[in-house]
Amino acid sequence: MRFSAALIVVEKIDRSRRFYESVLKQRVKYDFGENIVFEGGFSLQSKDSWRNFIDRRNIRVLAKSHSFELYFEEEHFDAFLLYLSSFPEVELVHATKTHPWGQRVVRLYDPDGHIVEIGEDMRSVVMRFFRAGLSAEEVAKRSQYPLEFVLSCIDAADRTEAK
């Protein structure tokens, strides 16, 4: 068995779709009307149609339950933050913070109050540390990622810069 996708239930499917497409730049893979599947592997389901699937009459979309999040990574984190600032209606859970392993993140609420985290791509974190003068071993220790991962990031950057 393998995990296939995450699905979140939303009050207004059109409103949520607009948010994920415009703010988070997600692309729709399939649109089934009351169910939207994004290329990233997660889906939105309208509350009304979800009710039929689980044979329940009382479904509560728990806004700001703070019990889970959708997690995205962004290679160009600073550019994304600038882009995000063009959406003043988007409510942040918190301002940008840096985790102990060096990754910068911002969390925000989608229109239904579900938490969405956007983290700096870990390859970008590794390369930021490396370009700041840390050795590969120091980057591995600081980022908490295996040395093999760090070396693969450096190797990929070297190959790209050689072109």
Side-chain angles (χ1 to χ4, degrees), residues 43-80:
S43 300
L44 305 176
Q45 185 80 35
S46 73
K47 182 174 90 170
D48 290 336
S49 65
W50 182 246
R51 180 179 293 120
N52 294 328
F53 290 146
I54 62 169
D55 298 328
R56 304 264 193 230
R57 296 191 198 296
N58 184 19
I59 297 173
R60 293 176 291 138
V61 176
L62 300 175
K64 299 183 181 178
S65 70
H66 302 113
S67 60
F68 81 97
E69 70 178 19
L70 292 179
Y71 174 73
F72 297 85
E73 284 192 349
E74 172 58 51
E75 182 178 355
H76 306 287
F77 191 74
D78 291 319
F80 174 76

Side-chain angles (χ1 to χ4, degrees), residues 96-124:
T96 303
K97 64 170 57 175
T98 303
H99 286 303
W101 52 91
Q103 182 188 39
R104 297 175 296 158
V105 302
V106 64
R107 288 184 179 91
L108 48 95
Y109 294 109
D110 80 356
D112 288 282
H114 302 301
I115 294 177
V116 177
E117 176 181 345
I118 299 91
E120 182 180 18
D121 177 78
M122 283 307 296
R123 292 183 181 278
S124 299

